[in-house]
Amino acid sequence: MSRTNKMIFLVLIAGTLLVAVVLTFIALGVFHPVPWLLVASLLIIPFLMSRSEKQHYVEWKDEYSVGVKSIDDDHKKLLNLINNFQTAVRYRTGKAFEKESLDEVIAYTKYHFDREEKMMQEAGYPDIEAHKEIHRAMIAKIDDFLIDYDKRGYEALEEVSLYLKDWLVNHINGTDQEYSALFIEKGIK
Ligand code: FEO
């Protein structure tokens, strides 16, 4: 369900519950449990909305660390940039901020991939070509998303934001972990 549809759904539920609360208080009185149960249901809605919002953002966890400060710093910055982009998408902050925040994620991702690949080269990482191919495929996918964004505008962004968040978290916490031991052994910082 899209964010707009989800919001409409929750507003409809809240409106219906509010009407039901008023009607049941009038019909059953303040000492009857039913209107109070409806009040409790109404109060849960802001909590559900807040939980639903949080799941679109990503927080750094220590388990994401590859044990190399410069790389961890890059990954933290990427997660922050993705969260900025999520804000642009979810709160419809306008085309200028949408575009700027998306461009920032892409530019920093490319910068980071380039830096990481040079470190893999220096360290003599044996799986460098496979890792570089994964990076290239991700950039190609983003280029496709940008073409789609040019055509469809805002409607294309929800898919881009979910892809970026899931891809980067999985990559940082999966493929990038594979060079960690070698980088640490080589004293790469
Ligand atoms: Fe940290 Fe392979 O990107």
Side-chain angles (χ1 to χ4, degrees), residues 134-152:
I134 291 169
H135 287 171
R136 275 195 290 271
M138 190 270 192
I139 295 297
K141 178 92 177 161
I142 292 295
D143 287 342
D144 289 344
F145 276 134
L146 286 175
I147 293 168
D148 194 32
Y149 176 53
D150 281 341
K151 282 188 205 149
R152 294 199 295 139

Side-chain angles (χ1 to χ4, degrees), residues 71 75 78 112-113 116 120 131 135 167-168 171-172 175-176 179:
I71 299 274
H75 289 160
L78 277 171
H112 166 68
F113 284 173
E116 195 177 77
M120 284 191 266
H131 199 129
H135 287 171
W167 191 94
L168 276 164
H171 185 75
I172 289 168
T175 313
D176 281 354
Y179 59 64

Side-chain angles (χ1 to χ4, degrees), residues 19-31:
V19 171
V21 165
V22 173
L23 292 178
T24 51
F25 268 131
I26 293 169
L28 303 172
V30 292
F31 298 109

Side-chain angles (χ1 to χ4, degrees), residues 8-137:
I8 291 171
F9 176 71
L10 286 170
V11 167
L12 280 176
I13 296 269
T16 307
L17 278 171
L18 193 57
V19 171
V21 165
V22 173
L23 292 178
T24 51
F25 268 131
I26 293 169
L28 303 172
V30 292
F31 298 109
H32 199 283
V34 169
W36 291 108
L37 283 173
L38 291 171
V39 168
S41 308
L42 193 57
L43 294 176
I44 287 172
I45 288 181
F47 166 76
L48 291 178
M49 289 170 82
S50 153
R51 212 176 65 161
S52 158
E53 276 307 297
K54 272 188 191 162
Q55 76 191 17
H56 294 280
Y57 292 89
V58 56
E59 276 179 36
W60 173 262
K61 294 179 185 162
D62 287 344
E63 70 204 51
Y64 296 161
S65 173
V66 293
V68 176
K69 187 177 180 306
S70 57
I71 299 274
D72 284 348
D73 286 347
D74 271 2
H75 289 160
K76 285 176 191 170
K77 173 145 183 166
L78 277 171
L79 297 186
N80 282 336
L81 291 173
I82 284 172
N83 285 337
N84 277 350
F85 179 54
Q86 289 287 347
T87 299
V89 174
R90 303 200 67 70
Y91 293 93
R92 286 187 176 251
T93 50
K95 195 164 175 78
F97 185 58
E98 253 169 51
K99 186 80 175 68
E100 188 187 313
S101 56
L102 179 57
D103 286 346
E104 271 186 326
V105 177
I106 295 170
Y108 205 83
T109 300
K110 287 179 177 172
Y111 161 80
H112 166 68
F113 284 173
D114 190 46
R115 175 145 103 136
E116 195 177 77
E117 286 168 13
K118 283 186 180 128
M119 288 170 147
M120 284 191 266
Q121 189 82 47
E122 268 174 44
Y125 181 54
D127 290 330
I128 182 170
E129 285 311 318
H131 199 129
K132 281 167 85 172
E133 187 48 42
I134 291 169
H135 287 171
R136 275 195 290 271

